[in-house]
Amino acid sequence: MVEVGTGNSDIPAYKSISIVDVVFQPGAAAPAMVMDNDMVCTIAAGEFTIKKADKEFKLKEGDMYTCSKGKTDAAANTSKVVGIHRIAVLIPA
Protein backbone atom coordinates (compact mmCIF):
# COMPACT_ATOMS: atom_id res chain seq x y z
CA MET A 1 0.00 0.00 0.00
CA VAL A 2 1.31 3.43 -0.97
CA GLU A 3 -0.04 6.56 0.71
CA VAL A 4 -0.73 9.18 -1.97
CA GLY A 5 -2.06 12.02 0.19
CA THR A 6 -4.70 13.36 2.56
CA GLY A 7 -6.96 16.38 2.31
CA ASN A 8 -9.83 18.05 4.10
CA SER A 9 -13.39 17.23 3.09
CA ASP A 10 -16.27 19.64 2.39
CA ILE A 11 -18.71 16.71 2.72
CA PRO A 12 -20.34 17.21 6.15
CA ALA A 13 -20.18 13.53 7.17
CA TYR A 14 -16.40 13.34 6.56
CA LYS A 15 -13.58 15.42 8.05
CA SER A 16 -10.92 14.27 5.57
CA ILE A 17 -10.14 12.00 2.65
CA SER A 18 -7.05 9.83 2.44
CA ILE A 19 -5.89 8.53 -0.95
CA VAL A 20 -3.95 5.26 -1.08
CA ASP A 21 -2.82 2.95 -3.87
CA VAL A 22 -3.00 -0.78 -3.19
CA VAL A 23 -0.67 -2.62 -5.56
CA PHE A 24 -1.47 -6.22 -6.58
CA GLN A 25 0.91 -8.49 -8.50
CA PRO A 26 -0.69 -10.50 -11.33
CA GLY A 27 -2.95 -13.15 -9.79
CA ALA A 28 -2.71 -11.69 -6.29
CA ALA A 29 -5.82 -11.42 -4.13
CA ALA A 30 -6.93 -9.68 -0.97
CA PRO A 31 -9.16 -11.89 1.18
CA ALA A 32 -12.62 -10.78 2.29
CA MET A 33 -12.26 -8.02 4.87
CA VAL A 34 -14.72 -5.84 6.75
CA MET A 35 -14.30 -2.21 5.67
CA ASP A 36 -13.35 0.25 8.44
CA ASN A 37 -14.55 3.27 6.44
CA ASP A 38 -16.65 4.20 3.43
CA MET A 39 -14.43 4.21 0.32
CA VAL A 40 -14.49 5.07 -3.37
CA CYS A 41 -12.20 2.79 -5.38
CA THR A 42 -10.84 3.29 -8.90
CA ILE A 43 -9.01 0.63 -10.88
CA ALA A 44 -5.88 2.53 -11.94
CA ALA A 45 -4.25 -0.50 -13.63
CA GLY A 46 -5.13 -4.11 -14.33
CA GLU A 47 -8.42 -5.98 -14.17
CA PHE A 48 -10.09 -7.22 -11.00
CA THR A 49 -12.85 -9.44 -9.73
CA ILE A 50 -14.56 -7.93 -6.69
CA LYS A 51 -16.61 -10.10 -4.34
CA LYS A 52 -19.13 -8.61 -1.96
CA ALA A 53 -21.52 -10.52 0.32
CA ASP A 54 -24.34 -10.34 -2.22
CA LYS A 55 -22.60 -10.03 -5.60
CA GLU A 56 -19.46 -10.50 -7.67
CA PHE A 57 -18.35 -8.32 -10.58
CA LYS A 58 -15.40 -7.65 -12.89
CA LEU A 59 -13.73 -4.27 -13.37
CA LYS A 60 -11.10 -2.96 -15.75
CA GLU A 61 -8.80 0.07 -15.77
CA GLY A 62 -10.81 3.27 -15.25
CA ASP A 63 -13.81 1.56 -13.61
CA MET A 64 -14.99 2.66 -10.15
CA TYR A 65 -16.92 1.09 -7.29
CA THR A 66 -17.72 1.83 -3.66
CA CYS A 67 -17.21 0.04 -0.36
CA SER A 68 -19.36 0.69 2.70
CA LYS A 69 -18.17 0.76 6.29
CA GLY A 70 -19.02 -2.53 7.99
CA LYS A 71 -19.47 -4.44 4.72
CA THR A 72 -17.21 -7.21 3.43
CA ASP A 73 -15.22 -6.98 0.18
CA ALA A 74 -12.56 -9.16 -1.48
CA ALA A 75 -10.48 -8.33 -4.59
CA ALA A 76 -8.40 -10.40 -7.01
CA ASN A 77 -6.16 -9.14 -9.81
CA THR A 78 -7.23 -11.27 -12.78
CA SER A 79 -4.91 -9.58 -15.27
CA LYS A 80 -1.36 -10.39 -16.33
CA VAL A 81 -0.08 -6.96 -15.27
CA VAL A 82 0.49 -5.26 -11.94
CA GLY A 83 -2.91 -4.05 -10.74
CA ILE A 84 -3.54 -0.88 -8.76
CA HIS A 85 -6.59 0.08 -6.72
CA ARG A 86 -6.62 3.81 -5.99
CA ILE A 87 -8.79 4.20 -2.92
CA ALA A 88 -10.31 7.37 -1.49
CA VAL A 89 -10.86 6.53 2.18
CA LEU A 90 -13.55 8.78 3.66
CA ILE A 91 -12.65 9.66 7.27
CA PRO A 92 -15.74 10.40 9.42
CA ALA A 93 -16.19 13.81 11.02
Side-chain angles (χ1 to χ4, degrees):
M1 182 164 50
V2 179
E3 292 184 26
V4 177
T6 301
N8 294 327
S9 171
D10 288 333
I11 303 169
Y14 303 103
K15 70 178 177 182
S16 62
I17 300 170
S18 177
I19 305 293
V20 297
D21 284 348
V22 181
V23 180
F24 290 77
Q25 293 302 314
M33 297 173 54
V34 176
M35 301 297 108
D36 292 333
N37 296 88
D38 292 330
M39 301 176 207
V40 178
C41 304
T42 303
I43 305 304
E47 295 181 2
F48 286 82
T49 296
I50 306 300
K51 293 182 183 179
K52 295 182 175 270
D54 61 345
K55 61 184 169 181
E56 179 176 315
F57 50 94
K58 296 183 183 298
L59 298 168
K60 60 183 181 347
E61 188 172 328
D63 290 342
M64 297 176 68
Y65 71 103
T66 58
C67 302
S68 297
K69 180 179 179 179
K71 302 287 183 168
T72 303
D73 283 23
N77 180 359
T78 55
S79 68
K80 295 181 183 193
V81 300
V82 172
I84 300 172
H85 266 79
R86 176 155 284 183
I87 303 173
V89 181
L90 306 172
I91 312 297

